[in-house]
Structures are given as structure tokens and as C-alpha cells.
């Protein structure tokens, strides 16, 4: 299989290896309504463009531990830990976080903070690696120095500082259930997504085998917990225990997406 063929397969079948990120962005876009107050937790410089497109219609606040981010983030920025947010209660309609939770030492504290700063009916949308994916397993058994080298190769010299240590303390469905329940958040949906054979693009023989593997685990729900990433959508109930949304029903916010939707698992079905 030639290099062009492998690139075409990644682009057409696996969204260029960014299927999880693209699906997460779609979830965020569907949740956003003009006038919202949005917290981007672990925002970095928003290199994936998650909240920047909404900066004109919404109030966006970013939180990160990296002081370099202050001069690069597109909205209000706070240098703070997500487990101890210097923010008022019930300030936000939406909290979003991508590829941050795996670095947090106390995810339960982070979820409690998300719940505290959300208004009743507000949502939190989280994207994080799946602990049972072979990619996550490989990351767990390799040293942080290798991760830093990977950052240098992938993003350029100096970006090894962006490779924070990974802990994976909330990266399974059971653990999500525990921390969400403890924080008083209701899990609306739990989606496993695979990004395809991104690691093997330069290796023709391995790429073909890996592509078959990813196609197999992408079918149905029998192997969903082998996929690369998890997208979780949560709602903070109001005082009565109901789960209203701040601006009416979700389906009324935007017309349905024409993009193929990935299998979604209602949390009630997983109990």
C-alpha cells in the first residue's frame, strides 16, 4: 500500500486521524447558543479551535496551569488549577475540556468544581483517552521522556514542555460514573470513538493490519471500550432534580447535523 493510499484512507475513513476531536467539536457546537458563558478547562492556546469560533457570540473564559497561555488565549484567561477554580458559583452555561482530564491527579475535585461553576441545567462536555485503548496502554508503560521526545518531533523544538505527565485516573466508564455521581452531574451520553491507525502511517504492512483492527472495533458496541477516546456529555440538574437545558431543548438549538453520527450509549443503559 503506497503512501498516498494510506493518507487517503486516513483522510476519508478516519477524518485524518482526528475523528474523536471532530466529533467532540460537533458536540460542543451543538451545545453552544449565542449569549452563553463558556469555561474552557485546560484550554492551552486552543490549538484545536474549540472555543475560539464562539468568542464573538459568547463569553469565553480559559483556565490553564501554563503561564505562557495568557498571551495566546483568545478570551479571558485565568492561571489556575481545574481542581480549585477561582470563579463564582453558577457562572457558566457550558464547561468544555479536551485531552486534559488524563493529566489531573484529582479528577473528582475537578468534576466538583465543574458542577459548582455550572448553572442549573448547564452542561459539561469532556474528551479524554480511553484507558483500555492500545494507544493509552502504550502511553502508560512508556516513560515521560519518550512523551517529551514525541512532542518535540510532532510539534517542534520547545514543545516538549507541552507534554504534561499522564495519570489516567478518570478514563473508564465506571470511573466516570463515580466522579459524576459524586459531583452531582448526570451523564447524558457516553461515546467511544476510534481515530484509526494513526501510529502506523509510515509502515505499510502494519498500517493495513491496524486499519482492519480499527474497522473491526468501529462496528457496533461489542468492542467499544477498545476505541481510542471517550466523549462524555453531562448535565447539572436543577434543584428539583430535573435536567433542563439553559436555552430550551437541544434539538431546538440547531438543525440536525448531516454528518454521520457515532454510536451513542445513554448512561441509563449502562447501569
Amino acid at each position: 500500500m503506497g503512501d498516498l493510499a494510506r493518507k487517503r484512507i486516513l483522510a476519508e475513513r478516519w477524518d485524518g486521524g482526528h475523528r474523536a476531536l471532530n466529533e467532540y467539536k460537533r458536540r460542543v457546537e451543538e451545545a453552544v447558543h449565542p449569549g452563553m458563558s463558556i469555561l474552557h478547562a485546560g484550554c492551552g492556546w486552543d490549538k484545536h479551535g474549540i472555543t475560539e469560533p464562539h468568542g464573538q457570540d459568547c463569553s469565553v473564559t480559559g483556565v490553564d496551569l501554563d503561564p505562557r497561555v495568557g498571551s495566546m488565549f483568545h478570551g479571558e484567561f485565568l492561571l489556575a488549577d481545574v481542581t480549585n477554580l477561582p470563579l463564582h458559583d453558577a457562572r457558566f452555561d457550558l464547561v468544555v475540556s479536551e485531552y486534559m482530564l488524563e493529566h489531573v491527579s484529582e479528577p473528582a475535585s475537578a468534576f466538583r468544581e465543574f458542577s459548582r461553576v455550572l448553572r442549573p441545567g448547564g452542561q459539561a462536555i469532556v474528551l479524554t483517552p480511553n484507558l483500555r485503548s492500545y494507544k493509552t496502554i502504550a502511553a502508560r508503560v512508556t516513560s515521560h521522556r519518550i512523551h517529551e521526545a514525541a512532542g518535540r518531533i510532532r510539534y517542534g523544538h520547545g514543545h516538549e514542555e507541552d507534554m504534561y505527565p499522564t495519570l489516567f485516573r478518570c478514563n473508564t466508564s465506571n470511573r466516570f460514573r463515580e466522579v459524576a455521581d459524586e459531583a452531582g452531574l448526570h451523564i447524558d451520553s457516553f461515546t467511544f470513538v476510534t481515530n484509526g491507525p494513526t501510529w502506523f502511517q509510515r509502515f505499510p504492512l502494519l498500517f493495513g493490519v491496524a486499519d482492519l483492527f480499527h474497522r473491526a472495533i468501529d462496528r457496533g458496541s461489542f468492542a467499544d471500550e477498545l476505541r481510542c477516546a471517550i466523549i462524555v456529555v453531562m448535565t447539572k440538574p436543577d434543584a428539583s432534580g430535573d435536567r433542563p437545558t439553559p436555552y430550551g431543548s437541544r434539538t431546538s438549538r440547531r438543525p440536525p447535523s448531516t454528518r454521520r453520527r457515532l454510536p451513542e450509549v445513554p448512561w441509563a443503559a449502562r447501569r
Side-chain angles (χ1 to χ4, degrees):
M1 184 184 300
D3 183 58
L4 289 179
R6 297 195 299 276
K7 289 181 179 179
R8 179 178 54 81
I9 288 173
L10 278 178
E12 296 178 359
R13 187 175 293 158
W14 306 110
D15 289 0
H18 302 293
R19 185 196 277 190
L21 183 65
N22 291 341
E23 180 67 14
Y24 165 75
K25 290 176 74 171
R26 184 185 67 78
R27 301 293 177 97
V28 172
E29 289 169 0
E30 289 186 345
V32 171
H33 187 282
M36 271 187 164
S37 182
I38 303 172
L39 175 65
H40 195 161
C43 59
W45 62 88
D46 194 17
K47 64 181 178 181
H48 301 300
I50 305 301
T51 52
E52 185 174 13
H54 309 295
Q56 292 185 345
D57 297 325
C58 300
S59 172
V60 178
T61 300
V63 173
D64 202 283
L65 284 173
D66 190 342
R68 298 174 298 170
V69 173
S71 62
M72 297 185 285
F73 192 66
H74 49 78
E76 177 187 2
F77 175 74
L78 296 174
L79 184 66
D81 193 318
V82 295
T83 63
N84 186 22
L85 295 171
L87 295 162
H88 294 300
D89 295 356
R91 174 175 168 179
F92 297 97
D93 301 295
L94 179 66
V95 175
V96 299
S97 173
E98 70 279 355
Y99 295 128
M100 180 274 294
L101 192 61
E102 63 271 17
H103 304 288
V104 176
S105 60
E106 298 180 8
S109 297
F111 274 55
R112 284 194 296 269
E113 286 292 87
F114 291 172
S115 180
R116 180 182 65 79
V117 301
L118 276 172
R119 294 175 179 140
Q123 288 188 310
I125 306 177
V126 175
L127 168 64
T128 192
N130 174 22
L131 188 65
R132 296 185 175 93
S133 163
Y134 73 85
K135 295 181 179 180
T136 304
I137 293 172
R140 293 182 70 193
V141 300
T142 53
S143 71
H144 184 61
R145 289 185 178 180
I146 294 178
H147 299 176
E148 289 178 328
R152 188 183 308 113
I153 294 170
R154 186 171 184 180
Y155 302 114
H157 183 72
H159 286 284
E160 56 268 20
E161 296 181 23
D162 301 329
M163 308 302 290
Y164 288 92
T166 48
L167 302 171
F168 301 111
R169 293 182 178 172
C170 187
N171 294 83
T172 65
S173 56
N174 287 337
R175 184 58 178 152
F176 261 104
R177 175 186 176 183
E178 293 173 0
V179 297
D181 285 350
E182 182 182 338
L185 295 170
H186 178 271
I187 295 182
D188 298 324
S189 64
F190 201 100
T191 308
F192 295 88
V193 192
T194 184
N195 286 320
T198 54
W199 285 9
F200 305 100
Q201 184 176 348
R202 298 181 181 181
F203 308 97
L205 294 179
L206 291 176
F207 182 89
V209 174
D211 183 54
L212 288 174
F213 172 78
H214 282 274
R215 291 170 66 184
I217 65 174
D218 196 40
R219 298 176 183 274
S221 60
F222 72 98
D224 53 5
E225 296 205 24
L226 297 178
R227 296 173 189 167
C228 302
I230 301 170
I231 302 171
V232 185
V233 180
M234 298 167 282
T235 299
K236 178 180 179 177
D238 63 15
S240 68
D242 293 332
R243 301 186 302 277
T245 52
Y247 300 94
S249 67
R250 286 181 214 154
T251 54
S252 69
R253 295 183 186 175
R254 294 193 178 194
S257 172
T258 58
R259 187 177 181 276
R260 183 176 72 87
R261 288 175 177 261
L262 294 162
E264 186 171 293
V265 184
W267 187 253
R270 300 187 61 83
R271 287 181 177 269

